[in-house]
Amino acid sequence: MLAINNLTIKDCIFDNELIKDLSLSLQKNDKIAIIGSEGTGKSTLLKLLKGDTLNYISYIGEIFINGIVAYTEQNISYLWNEILVYDFLYDEVKDRIEQLDVICRKLLNEFDLEYNDIIHRKINSFSGGEKVKLALVKALIKEPDILLLDEPTNDLDFETIQFLEDFMIHTDIPILFISHDQRLLENVANGIVHLQHIKKQTLAKTYFYRGTYPEYKKKFLNQFDSDLQIARKQRADYKTKMEKFRKVYSKVEYQQNQTVRNPSLARLLKKKIHSLKSQEKRFEKEKDSWMEIPEKEESINIFFSESMKLNHSKRLIEFNVPKFVLPNNQIVKDLELHLNGGEKVVIYGKNGCGKTTFIKKVIEILKSKDINYGYIPQNYMDVLDSNISVVDYIMKNQNRHQEFRIKQILGQLGFKRKEMDETINQLSEGQKLKILLLVLISKDTEILVLDEPTRNISPINLDEVYDLFVQYQGSILAITHDRNFIEAVFDNIYEFSKDGLLLE
């Protein structure tokens, strides 16, 4: 149904390759996941396959598509915020509305959305998860032969994620999807496309593996470790060999300088010097056959200070509200949360139930109590300043590192020197998240408040992020639907509902 042969995509603006020599076929029952860091061309690939005209790229290679292609974009708010649900859902099937109406109603019902209640509402009146559901319904009512999904589980609640997983597993529609959700990858994918940029994002490497995500991750990481050991040994052996060579060369050179009155010995030593120089050239030539030192995605190789002092008896959050009113005027009864120093608490719940509103209220309380906190919101631009440079923003919002050290860490996180001086609104979502993580580890905090903090990170690097928060000695209050993150980090799990916070 879909075949790609030797596809190379080049970014015409930055004059670098996004994707290099990708070949794959997508057949019935295939569920192939695309993984990789931000900016590696994942969404660009899906848009190209969808048939969009992309003026910022050029490509060579062959693309064969047979059938109807449906596509869900990562953020429908960008284009559709002021549009009615009716116009959004039926925009691409205007000539078949009556025929597809029954299918649309059934799909909305399966996604826990009532047709009559939502059809004349604007897209901007829905929560992030509800928007994702609407995007999926829009794709499925086309009765597609091929599904292209860009981060389909972003902002979905557990119930809808489970529905989506079941759908993806059991449908025979071939699916090519982008995801950072490790559990979704583990449960659904039977093929992996891994897009990687190394050498400070100047070199594209592309892998295709037909098999499960756990198999690929083990294979990739094992191969990485093996290649790294070989590459390091080659360089260590060369260093030892050259140290011995230089000692021999220095000794012969010294002897040659002492043979002024012995022409015969001088000639012998001169030949030996010539032979040693030839040997040195052979050693240098050996470097051409060395294995290149392998690189993963830019590692999230940052750490919190281990010297922070904790008061485990200090009550950081004391929240007790009999009637908590949400922006849509719904009421949450008996909303209560107590959190002490060092406790790590996570909250989950259905889309639109009020989790983010609650988190924002907690931030107000922490400010009023003058408690040092770190915050990653669901919308990064709620706290980022779009009009100043990356370095200036970080220096303004941290108290631990000098500017040269901040630039060093940004380099380790994959930022180019030019990107460090760019205004924040020019960056990808993944880069914005890295800035917020860097701010968190670069200032003194007693508590971190995190709203879906593991989105926009390559799944290959997610374990590093989990470890980062496991090692944090302060308190954490988080909203997340990342199931692996919950299991790895948190002590207490609460469900947010109309009856308050229910401890699991």
Side-chain angles (χ1 to χ4, degrees):
M1 293 182 177
L2 183 151
I4 299 171
N5 291 327
N6 301 118
L7 178 65
T8 294
I9 300 176
K10 186 175 182 179
D11 186 320
C12 299
I13 297 173
F14 294 101
D15 195 32
N16 64 293
E17 288 180 343
L18 292 175
I19 296 172
K20 179 78 170 177
D21 291 333
L22 172 63
S23 295
L24 65 86
S25 63
L26 188 69
Q27 302 296 331
K28 191 174 180 179
N29 291 312
D30 277 348
K31 318 291 161 52
I32 296 178
I34 307 171
I35 65 172
S37 297
E38 282 292 309
T40 51
K42 301 186 298 297
S43 293
T44 296
L45 175 60
L46 288 195
K47 289 174 183 176
L48 180 64
L49 296 177
K50 175 196 170 191
D52 283 359
T53 300
L54 305 176
N55 296 324
Y56 64 91
I57 67 163
S58 63
Y59 72 92
I60 57 173
E62 298 175 316
I63 299 173
F64 302 99
I65 296 176
N66 181 23
I68 298 171
V69 176
Y71 166 78
T72 70
E73 54 203 315
Q74 189 174 146
N75 184 1
I76 68 171
S77 300
Y78 179 70
L79 291 175
W80 300 95
N81 230 5
E82 298 295 327
I83 304 300
L84 296 178
V85 170
Y86 181 91
D87 296 324
F88 170 71
L89 292 178
Y90 292 125
D91 175 66
E92 297 178 36
V93 289
K94 291 176 182 176
D95 57 337
R96 302 169 60 204
I97 293 178
E98 290 186 13
Q99 177 187 348
L100 299 176
D101 186 65
V102 174
I103 296 173
C104 181
R105 290 172 183 268
K106 180 182 177 184
L107 287 167
L108 287 169
N109 184 60
E110 288 176 343
F111 276 75
D112 200 24
L113 296 169
E114 176 56 47
Y115 182 92
N116 292 327
D117 291 344
I118 67 156
I119 201 68
H120 296 301
R121 284 170 57 186
K122 289 184 177 181
I123 294 295
N124 62 10
S125 68
F126 294 89
S127 70
E130 288 168 330
K131 290 174 184 176
V132 173
K133 292 178 182 180
L134 290 172
L136 289 168
V137 172
K138 178 182 174 71
L140 292 172
I141 62 175
K142 293 175 67 176
E143 299 181 297
D145 300 296
I146 299 167
L147 266 178
L148 307 176
L149 308 180
D150 195 343
E151 293 288 3
T153 60
N154 268 6
D155 302 318
L156 292 183
D157 55 47
F158 287 143
E159 187 177 327
T160 311
I161 289 173
Q162 190 59 61
F163 168 79
L164 178 64
E165 276 191 8
D166 289 342
F167 166 78
M168 293 176 72
I169 289 168
H170 294 108
T171 184
D172 60 4
I173 302 172
I175 302 174
L176 188 62
F177 68 101
I178 299 169
S179 183
H180 292 89
D181 184 332
Q182 286 204 82
R183 193 66 64 85
L184 183 77
L185 294 170
E186 291 165 2
N187 294 345
V188 174
N190 55 25
I192 303 294
V193 173
H194 186 179
L195 306 180
Q196 190 180 19
H197 287 181
I198 60 173
K199 295 188 180 298
K200 298 296 181 185
Q201 302 183 42
T202 61
L203 180 64
K205 298 189 79 171
T206 304
Y207 307 89
F208 174 57
Y209 177 79
R210 191 166 283 283
T212 67
Y213 175 70
E215 290 169 350
Y216 175 73
K217 187 175 178 181
K218 183 178 180 181
K219 180 178 183 293
F220 176 80
L221 294 177
N222 286 348
Q223 189 65 51
F224 175 87
D225 291 338
S226 174
D227 290 350
L228 185 60
Q229 288 179 19
I230 292 170
R232 284 176 172 171
K233 187 174 187 305
Q234 287 173 331
R235 285 152 180 80
D237 290 348
Y238 174 80
K239 183 179 178 182
T240 302
K241 194 186 298 183
M242 288 304 293
E243 285 173 355
K244 290 179 180 178
F245 169 81
R246 289 189 186 101
K247 287 179 182 178
V248 172
Y249 189 92
S250 296
K251 183 178 179 181
V252 173
E253 194 174 40
Y254 174 78
Q255 290 172 340
Q256 187 184 40
N257 292 336
Q258 302 302 310
T259 58
V260 178
R261 296 179 181 176
N262 190 339
S264 178
L265 181 58
R267 285 193 296 273
L268 288 173
L269 291 173
K270 186 177 180 180
K271 286 183 179 180
K272 192 164 186 180
I273 287 283
H274 181 75
S275 175
L276 286 170
K277 286 183 176 179
S278 297
Q279 188 179 20
E280 184 179 27
K281 288 180 181 178
R282 289 197 301 274
F283 289 162
E284 287 295 320
K285 203 168 184 179
E286 286 177 11
K287 293 164 71 172
D288 295 338
S289 62
W290 282 359
M291 179 174 287
E292 189 175 348
I293 293 177
E295 296 181 44
K296 285 192 278 188
E297 279 85 353
E298 290 76 23
S299 297
I300 313 297
N301 192 25
I302 53 178
F303 307 95
F304 287 101
S305 170
E306 296 180 358
S307 61
M308 64 184 299
K309 296 178 181 178
L310 285 178
N311 181 354
H312 289 278
S313 62
K314 181 178 180 179
R315 182 62 59 86
L316 297 175
I317 297 174
E318 183 87 45
F319 195 98
N320 194 341
V321 178
K323 290 185 178 180
F324 186 69
V325 183
L326 301 177
N328 60 6
N329 293 321
Q330 289 184 352
I331 293 174
V332 178
K333 300 176 182 177
D334 301 320
L335 188 54
E336 183 177 353
L337 178 68
H338 307 290
L339 192 146
N340 292 337
E343 289 185 307
K344 296 179 179 178
V345 169
V346 66
I347 296 171
Y348 74 93
K350 288 191 173 184
N351 299 128
C353 69
K355 301 184 297 297
T356 295
T357 302
F358 169 66
I359 284 287
K360 289 180 177 178
K361 189 65 178 177
V362 168
I363 292 293
E364 292 178 16
I365 293 171
L366 294 174
K367 285 180 180 178
S368 68
K369 295 174 68 175
D370 201 25
I371 290 173
N372 293 327
Y373 69 92
Y375 179 37
I376 296 181
Q378 191 173 132
N379 179 2
Y380 306 144
M381 296 311 297
D382 285 351
V383 294
L384 292 172
D385 187 338
S386 62
N387 298 314
I388 64 175
S389 74
V390 172
V391 172
D392 287 343
Y393 175 82
I394 296 171
M395 292 302 298
K396 182 180 174 182
N397 288 279
Q398 62 91 38
N399 57 10
R400 180 160 293 146
H401 300 298
Q402 295 182 356
E403 184 174 325
F404 80 91
R405 178 57 183 148
I406 290 297
K407 288 183 176 180
Q408 283 181 334
I409 301 173
L410 284 169
Q412 293 167 6
L413 291 173
F415 282 79
K416 301 173 186 175
R417 186 172 296 277
K418 185 180 77 170
E419 291 170 333
M420 298 179 196
D421 297 323
E422 284 183 348
T423 54
I424 288 172
N425 59 354
Q426 301 294 315
L427 303 177
S428 71
E429 293 301 289
Q431 288 173 314
K432 291 172 187 174
L433 177 56
K434 287 178 180 179
I435 292 169
L436 293 175
L437 289 172
L438 178 49
V439 169
L440 289 190
I441 64 111
S442 302
K443 67 179 185 179
D444 298 320
T445 57
E446 296 177 80
I447 180 172
L448 305 180
V449 182
L450 312 172
D451 196 345
E452 299 288 0
T454 61
R455 295 185 306 166
N456 301 310
I457 294 174
S458 168
I460 295 292
N461 293 137
L462 274 173
D463 289 339
E464 296 173 6
V465 176
Y466 300 161
D467 288 341
L468 175 69
F469 291 117
V470 166
Q471 298 305 320
Y472 178 66
Q473 297 177 40
S475 300
I476 299 178
L477 174 64
I479 295 172
T480 187
H481 294 100
D482 181 338
R483 293 158 286 181
N484 287 12
F485 184 44
I486 290 172
E487 292 172 6
V489 176
F490 295 96
D491 307 314
N492 294 315
I493 304 171
Y494 287 88
E495 180 182 6
F496 195 104
S497 73
K498 59 183 177 58
D499 297 318
L501 286 169
L502 307 177
L503 180 64
E504 276 200 355

